[in-house]
Amino acid sequence: MFFCIPRWVAVVACLFFFISCALCASQGLEGRVKRSSPLKQSLTYIWPLPAEFSSGEETLSVDPRLSLTVDGNGGGSAIIGAAFERYKGIVFKNGGKFSSLLRKLREKISVYDVSKLKITVHSANVELQLGVDESYTLIVPKAGEVTIEANTVYGALRGLETFSQLCTFDYTTKTVKIHNAPYSIKDKPRFAYRGLLVDTSRHYLPVDVMKQIIESMSYAKLNVLHWHIIDEQSFPLEVPTYPNLWKGSYTKWERYTVEDAYEIVNFAKMRGINVMAEVDVPGHAESWGAGYPELWPSPSCREPLDVSKKFTFDVIQGLLTDLRKIFPFELFHLGGDEVNTDCWSKTSHVKKWLQDHNMTTKDAYQYFVLEAQKIAISQKWTPVNWEETFNTFPSKLHPETVVHNWLGAGVCPKAVAKGFKCIFSNQGVWYLDHLDVPWYVVYNAEPLEGIRDASQQKLVLGGEVCMWGETADASNVLQTIWPRAAAAAERLWSPRGPTSKSVNTTALHRLQNFRCILNRRGVPAAPVTNFYARTAPTGPGSCYEQ
């Protein structure tokens, strides 16, 4: 006597057999991989490192059907819903690479340790400004529901990023795992301002590239995009009140419409990133005169802008009024750096104006900066200026001025001693266009260097790395930014103590891992250890060892 087995039962049995074999084989394979892996089991591979955390020794599987439940006044925000779907796509990116039949079978026979994520957000306020609460608590238990709790949606975003970094894809079992569970993480940023400057004047960056930069910033928990939109080389931004200004763009195809700017700002907000615009005056402004030549002191003297004409300040007023409708962030950058005033003294009508007003060219520089500050303040912006303004006339600056350091060390200590707020961007360590500055120099920089008084330390808002665009465009900007920007990001987010020892044996391995995370997420981050930033690998090798 014999029994006839239905074909579908045989198929299911075979699939079950193959899956079981794969699962069994993976246990031995995992052991071999661990011995050859450059990842060190003693390190916690979260970047930037959380303020407080503990971990265990368990390995958990994560359900590809991971569900979200929300709680609190802000849990239902569209920002949370969109972020969950975004991160689910990142975590389970590899999940659709096997047949639908096999996937369905696996879902039926598998029991996952983690199948639910609960996000609690206490505040319904989604306003994004400097100092918004980005703290969060993330709990990954041995089994059951993972929880993220935050006061604001932006804290929840940071928690989701951390959760995503805990999840790794196991290529043998084709499942997502969380190693070293359970986790208890209480996290918050060290500094409120953690920025990246992007220069779109020296080379135009398309909107999609700007979005890629913003997306990559969120992975490192940076929270301010300093958009250096215009400079002497080009004026790519539409200004409705003065529509000829963008005649200063390189071509009519390398421009940002008002709608483009709105799109960039809103895209950034959904990721917890403010956009601080910069209009650099009175220097670095030659491109303004392509549309309005009267802004030039003369055809042979094209910058600084003409300090003697009311029209110059009318244009600045109209420009800032238009930009206020686009950029809600409380800070606005007015530049003020590298102003060579010789041209003013050599132009007859400007020279006469100086004489009539009993001004030297230095006085006129001060006058121009202070007038621009008044206009920005009238638009309810807090003015930010490069350090030359502070170095030249500190007692005249508006008391709310934020001094932006760039020339070298020692400026922030002087600025906060006089009661000004400061942003740290020392060019020797945090200028990304300086390709010979290695990752560990970026990492070891300290925004509070030379400031011991606690009340003065609070005046240092944070810092930013600067991606000046003379030699960077859409072809190489991301690999120039990353991974060195991540080194600064951890300095700005994580407590100084745990991240200041043995950087070559601790931070290096974690940064190499983060660089590989960026690569897997589509960010073309360059090797960490190459002497010149953004250069390609010199030969074969693992992502984790470059």
Side-chain angles (χ1 to χ4, degrees), residues 338-357:
E338 298 181 321
V339 180
N340 184 347
T341 58
D342 291 347
C343 180
W344 283 343
S345 62
K346 296 175 182 177
T347 305
S348 57
H349 74 273
V350 179
K351 183 177 181 180
K352 183 177 185 304
W353 183 88
L354 292 172
Q355 293 171 343
D356 291 345
H357 290 79

Side-chain angles (χ1 to χ4, degrees), residues 11 48 75 83 219 258 261 268 282 322 390 410 431 491 499:
V11 171
Y219 301 152
V258 168
D322 286 349
F390 171 78
Y431 267 33
R491 178 60 57 239
T499 61

Side-chain angles (χ1 to χ4, degrees), residues 73-389:
N73 295 326
S77 166
I79 294 175
I80 296 297
F84 175 74
E85 292 302 322
R86 194 165 62 245
Y87 277 106
K88 192 172 179 181
I90 290 172
V91 170
F92 299 105
K93 184 176 182 180
N94 299 90
K97 291 190 174 180
F98 40 89
S99 72
S100 58
L101 176 60
L102 180 58
R103 184 172 62 251
K104 290 179 181 178
L105 177 62
R106 288 166 63 87
E107 290 174 353
K108 288 181 180 179
I109 65 174
S110 298
V111 176
Y112 294 94
D113 300 303
V114 177
S115 59
K116 294 181 180 179
L117 173 63
K118 181 179 180 180
I119 298 178
T120 301
V121 179
H122 296 297
S123 174
N125 186 358
V126 296
E127 183 180 7
L128 181 61
Q129 289 291 353
L130 185 67
V132 68
D133 190 343
E134 297 174 272
S135 65
Y136 67 91
T137 300
L138 170 62
I139 303 295
V140 181
K142 287 186 178 180
E145 188 175 69
V146 173
T147 61
I148 296 174
E149 185 175 1
N151 290 323
T152 71
V153 294
Y154 305 110
L157 291 182
R158 308 307 175 219
L160 274 168
E161 173 57 40
T162 298
F163 174 72
S164 74
Q165 292 187 27
L166 295 178
C167 297
T168 58
F169 185 72
D170 186 315
Y171 280 85
T172 304
T173 63
K174 297 183 181 178
T175 57
V176 172
K177 299 288 184 67
I178 297 177
H179 297 281
N180 302 118
Y183 283 93
S184 176
I185 298 172
K186 295 185 68 175
D187 202 7
K188 63 180 181 179
R190 183 183 178 208
F191 291 100
Y193 186 109
R194 307 179 306 281
L196 167 67
L197 178 147
V198 174
D199 171 11
T200 59
S201 173
R202 275 54 180 252
H203 284 99
Y204 173 81
L205 297 175
V207 172
D208 283 349
V209 175
M210 294 292 290
K211 288 182 177 180
Q212 290 169 16
I213 293 170
I214 292 166
E215 191 84 72
S216 66
M217 289 173 65
S218 70
Y219 301 152
K221 298 186 175 75
L222 293 175
N223 70 343
V224 179
L225 173 70
H226 175 178
W227 189 3
H228 188 87
I229 310 175
I230 54 184
D231 209 291
E232 63 189 65
Q233 290 84 0
S234 74
F235 196 119
L237 182 66
E238 179 183 18
V239 180
T241 302
Y242 289 94
N244 290 341
L245 280 172
W246 71 350
K247 286 185 177 180
S249 62
Y250 286 120
T251 66
K252 63 183 179 181
W253 301 283
E254 295 170 286
R255 292 173 171 177
Y256 302 101
T257 65
V258 168
E259 291 78 11
D260 289 336
Y262 271 121
E263 186 176 350
I264 288 169
V265 169
N266 291 331
F267 184 89
K269 181 179 180 179
M270 293 295 287
R271 288 148 184 82
I273 295 171
N274 280 298
V275 180
M276 177 178 70
E278 178 178 358
V279 173
D280 195 348
V281 292
H284 290 279
E286 179 180 341
S287 62
W288 297 43
Y292 296 96
E294 55 268 50
L295 292 170
W296 292 333
S298 74
S300 61
C301 168
R302 298 187 170 191
E303 60 179 31
L305 294 171
D306 194 330
V307 67
S308 70
K309 292 178 181 174
K310 179 179 178 295
F311 179 68
T312 300
F313 297 97
D314 288 343
V315 171
I316 294 173
Q317 176 74 59
L319 171 59
L320 267 58
T321 300
D322 286 349
L323 294 189
R324 197 58 172 117
K325 299 170 186 175
I326 302 171
F327 298 97
F329 190 39
E330 65 192 73
L331 301 182
F332 189 87
H333 209 300
L334 291 167
D337 61 311
E338 298 181 321
V339 180
N340 184 347
T341 58
D342 291 347
C343 180
W344 283 343
S345 62
K346 296 175 182 177
T347 305
S348 57
H349 74 273
V350 179
K351 183 177 181 180
K352 183 177 185 304
W353 183 88
L354 292 172
Q355 293 171 343
D356 291 345
H357 290 79
N358 196 27
M359 285 187 186
T360 64
T361 53
K362 181 180 176 181
D363 295 332
Y365 167 44
Q366 173 186 305
Y367 168 78
F368 201 118
V369 168
L370 298 184
E371 287 298 300
Q373 283 197 338
K374 289 177 185 176
I375 295 170
I377 292 166
S378 72
Q379 298 292 333
K380 295 183 169 48
W381 264 319
T382 298
V384 184
N385 282 100
W386 294 110
E387 67 174 74
E388 284 95 327
T389 59

